[in-house]
Amino acid sequence: MCMLRKSLLFAVPTMVLAGCGGSEPPQPTMMGGNTDMMMSSGSLGTGPARGSVAAKQPDLGQDAVLNGYKIFNNNDPYSKNVEKLGVDPNSDKILAKIGVDKTLALGFGAVGKDKDKKPFGIPYVVVSGDAPRVAVTFGQPKVSDAGPYPFPLQMQLETATDPHAIVIDRDGQKLYETSATAADGAGFKANVGAVWDLRSYSPRKPGQPSADSSGLPIFPGLLRYEEVNSQASTQPVAPSQPGLPQPLPQQQQLPLDHALRFTLSTVSKGYVTPATASAGTSTDENLPPMGMVLRLKKSYDISKFPASAQVVLKALKKYGMILAEVGPDLTISGTPDPRWNDAEMSTLEKVKASDFEVIRLGAMQGLKDDPKAKEAPKVSSPPTAPTAKS
């Protein structure tokens, strides 16, 4: 029997640590966000609570650490290196439509602005292959992937007007995502649902949305705590809320090696690859289309930013950020985590739209009257901080 240090036991109050994989010392699964929404191990399935670090298998649980596991085997649009791609000839006009003086905003953090002051962002859950499946009723079944879905009944939903739900089946290697999600008796109801095979990326059909109106998966574009702070520091990070256990330092280097998901309030009716749909209504060629990639200019000086923010800025120069949904302007998406250093992350809000450039766009699609495109829902993204409980 492997021995667990006492300091680990209180860090996982609702999960049973079934064993220790490999020669790596066991680490706690850091349960992010609302403790009242944490799930029992039974709702996750009966597989081992620890993944194998050597095999890069995710932990189980709410906002669980992925241990370096690569979804889609780096074959998805968010993993594409855009550092050397050309700038679109219409870049300046598109940025002018966005507003060159507008700055980045954060759709995640440790302390929200609601009365509970809880972490906010887009949460996710990792379950095992034998997790119970439940029915999901869709508002737009024609563009949704049929269930059942392995959604734990007490899982944490995004705190937003139209909450997203994200669940990863680590054994079945499937990603389940829904928009406008709500509990519905013994199951859930949602607007649109998409199921992705994590072994290799396969895009949606033209005109078909996903849980994002762009037709893109959500999870690979989220900024997660361990992607930033495992590189920035090996020291423990003080908890952001009273009563939380002191987090342990990340012992594994998990690079931020993907683009980020971001939102804009006004978008084109058209879309470009890698998007497959859009919620926009205007045919103005200067409006940003869904699937557009913004890259931070190579010349932008990041030296005066905190180390954690520099990790993000370096990724924005190498991978950029992809317009994936309608929502607050220039808001980048991340996961809720009480360990976020909001003061450091908020320095990213100094970066302006004019500090970016639009990567050369592909052929514009969706501008003609396409019956499938009309089915694309307008799904709002979360505000910078939660305004209502799910």
Side-chain angles (χ1 to χ4, degrees):
M1 176 182 295
C2 63
M3 300 300 292
L4 297 176
R5 293 177 296 171
K6 291 182 179 180
S7 61
L8 301 187
L9 297 180
F10 64 82
V12 202
T14 59
M15 297 187 65
V16 178
L17 296 178
C20 301
S23 59
E24 295 285 337
Q27 301 177 29
T29 298
M30 299 306 299
M31 308 292 280
N34 306 335
T35 55
D36 60 332
M37 296 299 291
M38 294 179 188
M39 300 158 294
S40 65
S41 57
S43 65
L44 300 172
T46 57
R50 278 290 307 165
S52 167
V53 174
K56 295 185 177 180
Q57 189 179 30
D59 291 348
L60 293 177
Q62 187 74 53
D63 303 320
V65 175
L66 297 193
N67 298 314
Y69 172 73
K70 298 296 183 183
I71 66 172
F72 297 122
N73 289 316
N74 282 349
N75 190 36
D76 62 289
Y78 283 97
S79 299
K80 184 177 181 179
N81 186 336
V82 300
E83 198 170 13
K84 296 182 180 180
L85 297 184
V87 178
D88 192 86
N90 214 27
S91 178
D92 289 343
K93 292 181 180 179
I94 293 175
L95 291 173
K97 284 287 185 178
I98 296 173
V100 292
D101 290 328
K102 287 184 178 179
T103 60
L104 289 180
L106 305 182
F108 63 93
V111 181
K113 295 180 181 179
D114 63 348
K115 64 179 181 179
D116 295 323
K117 304 296 182 183
K118 292 181 178 179
F120 65 99
I122 302 180
Y124 64 94
V125 183
V126 180
V127 301
S128 61
D130 59 359
R133 264 59 176 169
V134 298
V136 181
T137 303
F138 296 109
Q140 297 198 62
K142 291 184 179 180
V143 294
S144 297
D145 296 329
Y149 283 35
F151 280 11
L153 293 179
Q154 298 301 318
M155 70 175 173
Q156 183 180 341
L157 300 176
E158 179 189 15
T159 305
T161 304
D162 299 312
H164 290 102
I166 301 176
V167 171
I168 297 172
D169 175 355
R170 73 172 187 189
D171 301 320
Q173 298 188 65
K174 295 289 180 66
L175 170 65
Y176 297 80
E177 299 183 334
T178 57
S179 62
T181 315
D184 186 26
F188 290 85
K189 58 183 179 181
N191 189 22
V192 176
V195 181
W196 304 87
D197 187 338
L198 293 179
R199 293 170 295 184
S200 183
Y201 180 77
S202 179
R204 309 282 279 177
K205 297 177 182 179
Q208 184 180 22
S210 58
D212 265 351
S213 61
S214 63
L216 291 167
I218 298 171
F219 182 77
L222 299 182
L223 183 64
R224 292 178 285 116
Y225 175 84
E226 69 267 18
E227 294 177 313
V228 173
N229 292 278
S230 61
Q231 298 180 78
S233 174
T234 58
Q235 299 301 314
V237 179
S240 301
Q241 291 180 313
L244 291 174
Q246 180 78 5
L248 295 178
Q250 292 288 341
Q251 297 180 5
Q252 187 180 20
Q253 295 297 308
L254 301 178
L256 176 51
D257 55 0
H258 62 82
L260 298 181
R261 171 189 186 265
F262 85 102
T263 63
L264 287 173
S265 60
T266 305
V267 301
S268 169
K269 180 181 178 181
Y271 59 89
V272 295
T273 302
T276 59
S278 176
T281 58
S282 174
T283 58
D284 185 342
E285 64 179 7
N286 293 325
L287 277 178
M290 284 294 183
M292 176 189 72
V293 179
L294 292 184
R295 177 181 62 199
L296 187 63
K297 292 177 180 178
K298 185 177 181 179
S299 60
Y300 188 80
D301 183 10
I302 67 172
S303 62
K304 296 181 180 180
F305 286 82
S308 56
Q310 287 189 33
V311 172
V312 178
L313 295 171
K314 288 177 182 178
L316 289 175
K317 288 187 176 187
K318 186 172 183 179
Y319 300 97
M321 57 185 192
I322 303 178
L323 177 56
E325 187 55 283
V326 174
D329 283 331
L330 290 177
T331 298
I332 54 179
S333 303
T335 61
D337 197 306
R339 299 170 296 168
W340 282 119
N341 187 318
D342 289 343
E344 291 186 359
M345 288 291 99
S346 66
T347 61
L348 294 170
E349 296 176 341
K350 298 177 182 179
V351 184
K352 296 181 178 181
S354 58
D355 297 320
F356 289 87
E357 51 200 2
V358 179
I359 296 300
R360 184 178 294 273
L361 301 173
M364 190 75 69
Q365 304 175 65
L367 292 181
K368 295 181 180 180
D369 290 333
D370 183 348
K372 292 182 180 179
K374 287 183 179 179
E375 292 180 346
K378 185 172 182 179
V379 184
S380 63
S381 289
T384 304
T387 57
K389 289 187 176 181
S390 301

